[in-house]
Amino acid sequence: MTSETGVGAAAGVDRRTAASRMSTGRAGDKIFVSAARGSGIIVLLIMAAIAVFLVWKAVPALQDNKANFLTAEEWNPNAAPPRFGIAQLAFGTVVSSLLAMLIATPVAVGIALFISFYSPRRLASGLGYVVDLLAAVPSIVYGLWGLAFLSQHMEGISKFLNGALGWIPLFGGDSPGKNSIFTASVVLSIMILPIISSISREVFLQVPRANVEAALALGATRWETIRLAVLPYGRSGMIGGAMLGLGRAMGETIAVAMVLTFVPGINIHLLENGGATFASNIANSFAEASSTGRGALIASGLVLFVITLLVNMAARAVVARRKEFV
């Protein structure tokens, strides 16, 4: 009897302990959900506050503007009356960023594949750290390197591309130079390479080992295994990494401002000197801008804010369409 009583008491204690743990777990879940929801709301509020601030500061300058803000290529907000438009800035920003992404993405994915599947394990971690360290280099260092070293060697490369691909309008022109949108794109591609490579590498390492072993067991070569089992699984991650790199390139300021020479007007010949982006124009013009000029620069920053937001939304949409690989 005593033994049955002891067993019953122990069972009661166990049930109370389990109930207490369950209650604690539910409380922890509620706290986590509340914290996550609150963090998301705070981020949205911050973005909304930034947008409201930019609109508030930009409206007076836009009201004084005598040119079409969206289509005019002229940028002279300090004139009387002020005339400015973002056509050239939008063209330079989008083209240089897209070109940087096109240059960086294949190289970054190749680096990620080499580190994940080809490099010896002892060497892989060191290579990963070296690539990730590129993201820690300040933008001004990239700008100084691009100005003092890269641009000195880009004139010959630009002339070669002009001679070989001059029949394509983007690579045409009569005077290919060294301080062009193409040079700025090369600098940007090196800056965004570690972002794309790091994300792609992490995605490749999450590929189910069973998929890889099954492909190898069926007689596939290493490249066939990567093409059939790894790349489809990591496609959404690669696209997301490329889009993050694109957003990073669009907002880069100092490196582009140091490498790119400002020449008014849209020039579709990417190898010729000249061009401008939103960020580089803000960096170069803000110190000497009048109150109207600063409002104009803030208005251009608002457009960049919207473009970057649309790029991130597009990235989310592309990744969402490929959820079957996640």
Side-chain angles (χ1 to χ4, degrees):
M1 189 73 176
T2 305
S3 124
E4 293 178 358
T5 303
V7 171
V13 171
D14 290 341
R15 284 194 295 271
R16 287 193 297 271
T17 303
S20 176
R21 290 176 178 173
M22 186 177 299
S23 176
T24 303
R26 289 175 180 172
D29 290 342
K30 291 180 180 179
I31 293 174
F32 175 78
V33 170
S34 300
R37 184 180 293 115
S39 299
I41 293 173
I42 290 174
V43 171
L44 292 177
L45 290 176
I46 291 174
M47 292 180 61
I50 293 173
V52 170
F53 170 79
L54 293 176
V55 171
W56 174 46
K57 290 293 187 180
V59 166
L62 293 175
Q63 291 175 339
D64 294 338
N65 186 21
K66 301 305 179 182
N68 189 306
F69 179 66
L70 296 178
T71 60
E73 300 179 24
E74 179 184 3
W75 186 267
N76 194 6
N78 295 327
R83 301 182 59 85
F84 56 89
I86 61 167
Q88 180 187 7
L89 305 179
F91 175 81
T93 299
V94 173
V95 171
S96 62
S97 301
L98 286 175
L99 186 57
M101 186 185 70
L102 292 176
I103 296 172
T105 300
V107 179
V109 172
I111 292 173
L113 288 173
F114 176 77
I115 293 175
S116 301
F117 298 100
Y118 288 93
S119 175
R121 290 299 91 192
R122 293 182 178 179
L123 184 61
S125 59
L127 288 175
Y129 288 135
V130 171
V131 174
D132 292 342
L133 279 176
L134 290 174
V137 178
S139 299
I140 191 170
V141 174
Y142 282 109
L144 290 171
W145 172 77
L147 180 64
F149 177 80
L150 181 64
S151 61
Q152 307 304 320
H153 298 80
M154 288 301 296
E155 188 169 5
I157 297 175
S158 297
K159 290 181 178 179
F160 170 78
L161 291 175
N162 179 255
L165 303 174
W167 53 274
I168 302 176
L170 292 178
F171 297 99
D174 299 326
S175 55
K178 59 183 181 179
N179 295 319
S180 60
I181 288 181
F182 179 68
T183 303
S185 299
V186 173
V187 175
L188 289 175
S189 68
I190 299 174
M191 295 183 67
I192 67 176
L193 186 146
I195 299 174
I196 305 174
S197 178
S198 177
I199 295 176
S200 300
R201 187 170 72 249
E202 293 300 323
V203 172
F204 294 153
L205 292 177
Q206 300 302 319
V207 175
R209 193 63 190 171
N211 294 10
V212 177
E213 292 176 352
L216 293 173
L218 291 173
T221 63
R222 185 171 294 185
W223 166 241
E224 290 173 336
T225 300
I226 292 173
R227 182 168 57 87
L228 297 174
V230 176
L231 294 181
Y233 183 89
R235 190 172 300 157
S236 61
M238 289 187 292
I239 294 173
M243 289 298 185
L244 285 176
L246 178 61
R248 171 74 174 85
M250 283 185 171
E252 178 49 43
T253 305
I254 298 301
V256 177
M258 296 181 70
V259 172
L260 190 60
T261 300
F262 178 78
V263 176
I266 294 176
N267 186 0
I268 64 170
H269 305 310
L270 304 183
L271 301 179
E272 292 186 343
N273 288 336
T277 66
F278 285 113
S280 66
N281 184 58
I282 292 172
N284 290 329
S285 305
F286 195 85
E288 293 133 6
S290 62
S291 59
T292 302
R294 292 178 182 176
L297 293 174
I298 291 175
S300 68
L302 175 62
V303 176
L304 178 60
F305 178 82
V306 173
I307 292 176
T308 306
L309 184 62
L310 292 176
V311 167
N312 286 318
M313 292 173 62
R316 295 293 301 174
V318 171
V319 172
R321 291 180 57 188
R322 301 196 174 270
K323 284 183 177 178
E324 64 271 19
F325 295 113
V326 178

